[in-house]
Amino acid sequence: MYFNLTEEQLAVQAAAREFAQKELKPGVIERDSKMQYPTEQVRMMGELGFMGMMVSPEYGGGGMDTMSYVLAMEELSKVDSSCSVIVSVNNSLVCWGIEEFGTEAQKLKYLPKLATGEWIGSFCLSEPEAGSDATSQRTTAEDMGDYYLLNGTKNWITNGGTSKVHLVIAQTNAEAGHRGINAFIVETDWDGVVVGAKEDKLGIRSSDTHTIMYNDVKVPKENRIGDDGFGFKFAMKTLSGGRIGIAAQALGIAGGAYELAVDYSKQREAFGKPISKHQAIAFKLADMATEIEAAKLMVYRSAWLKDQHANYDSASAMAKLFASEVAMRHTVEAVQIHGGYGFVKEYHVERLMRDAKITQIYEGTSEVQRIVISRNVLKGQLYIPILAGEELVGV
Ligand code: CAA
């Protein structure tokens, strides 16, 4: 079994780490506190190639593998998860969804701008009454011949205030259930697209999360993704990869809190010695280190499976489930290790703790991940595939 990263992957990891420490860290507390969208930072991430990492170079992207994307997500998330969720939604939901399932015309029209960060994308699935139960779409797209007429409301839309392109999931035939759902590419300057107020959130506060209303929006027929009725499967397949990005975000949040906790525990003295020398703290660090390593293996393996074009539905669900729980548990511990300092904004760990919570909720709650995993187990996928010689083997 090999655990080596390529030169290119190591270079991406180093570049993301340097960017996060140099460009994201200085203003992160202020942006969080003022709910200020990181406009300049997103522009820089576009220039550095972080907005379309996996998009083929022919459509203006970096042509990188999922592993490189995960390494970048991890480093960005150690510092600023508001920025990393913008990267994640744009890369693994919007760009990947269009490149994997879109027509050549859709790819040529949308990917070059999305991959460079000139345009930002949103993934519009959740509704006031359709969160985990994603088949219960109330947003409708009525077939009018040349176009679809889109009506409805989407909730908690990441990049909602800034995105130029929405991938909207809507019901086109209610009687057909999930087979009557379609996905559409919608441009936000079309008539009838209304951006609601920005949400005031617990965490990832400088990312912009909005309610979006579609009022009689005319969507050209050529903007439907895939065959008629493919929309629900499109959402599921896209989210399966998206969950690798959010798992990497959770891993980064846990890692960021852990690095801060280790540093602080070596500096802070109590009862005549650094607190790291007290077993009560040293054992917390040991548990953090152990669980973060376990999460890392799961996240990297799910990225590797995707790069092998193997089935990664369970692997990504497990990685997100575990990494997000590790992030929550160990950011709480990092605050505890910092004591009173951990409770104030200046020391960063309270923000990481607040940011960790969303990784257990978006792109499928922990409960949804357990549904995905248990259904695959009961279908017979007892273990995640591994490489035996040249062959991927399952159970
Ligand atoms: N790939 C391909 N097809 C899939 C699939 C996958 N990964 N998962 C399900 N399907 C197919 C099923 O095979 C089935 O098709 P058939 O009937 O033809 O066999 C169809 O989809 C319906 O599947 P289910 O019966 O499993 O559907 P369900 O109603 O039981 O729901 C669920 C399953 C897993 C709970 C799903 O609704 C779900 O994932 N919910 C969570 C939604 C979610 O993650 N939302 C996140 C919002 S986006 C976001 O957060 C972005 C952001 O801004 C950060």
Side-chain angles (χ1 to χ4, degrees), residues 262-269 274-276:
V262 171
D263 281 354
Y264 179 81
S265 70
K266 289 203 261 185
Q267 285 160 23
R268 171 75 174 173
E269 297 206 352
I275 59 170
S276 58

Side-chain angles (χ1 to χ4, degrees), residues 20 27 67 73 86 135 141 166 175 240 256 309 319 351 364 369 374 388:
M67 194 58 221
M73 276 298 295
I86 298 167
T135 57
H166 288 175
E175 281 161 25
S240 197
H309 307 290
R351 186 187 69 260
Q369 308 313 321
S374 60

Side-chain angles (χ1 to χ4, degrees), residues 98-159:
I98 294 175
E99 185 159 16
E100 189 70 11
F101 301 111
T103 61
E104 190 56 23
Q106 289 168 350
K107 293 182 208 179
L108 288 169
K109 181 165 184 195
Y110 293 107
L111 287 176
K113 289 193 167 125
L114 287 165
T116 50
E118 184 184 339
W119 285 3
I120 303 293
S122 290
F123 190 80
C124 306
L125 170 68
S126 304
E127 296 187 355
E129 289 171 81
S132 293
D133 183 6
T135 57
S136 299
Q137 295 291 308
R138 299 259 172 103
T139 297
T140 56
E142 196 182 339
D143 190 341
M144 306 297 280
D146 291 349
Y147 61 90
Y148 285 93
L149 199 61
L150 183 69
N151 278 289
T153 300
K154 296 290 178 181
N155 265 27
W156 312 293
I157 301 305
T158 303
N159 301 336

Side-chain angles (χ1 to χ4, degrees), residues 85 89 93 123-126 131-135 156-159 178-179 232-234 236-237 239-240 243 246 313 361-365 368-369 371-372 375 379:
V85 72
V89 168
L93 296 182
F123 190 80
C124 306
L125 170 68
S126 304
S132 293
D133 183 6
T135 57
W156 312 293
I157 301 305
T158 303
N159 301 336
H178 73 77
R179 293 191 183 87
F232 188 71
K233 289 194 181 174
F234 167 80
M236 291 298 103
K237 284 171 183 276
L239 280 165
S240 197
R243 286 166 187 162
I246 299 304
D313 294 340
I361 297 173
Y362 58 20
E363 300 204 19
T365 60
V368 162
Q369 308 313 321
I371 293 176
V372 172
R375 283 185 182 171
K379 269 194 244 160

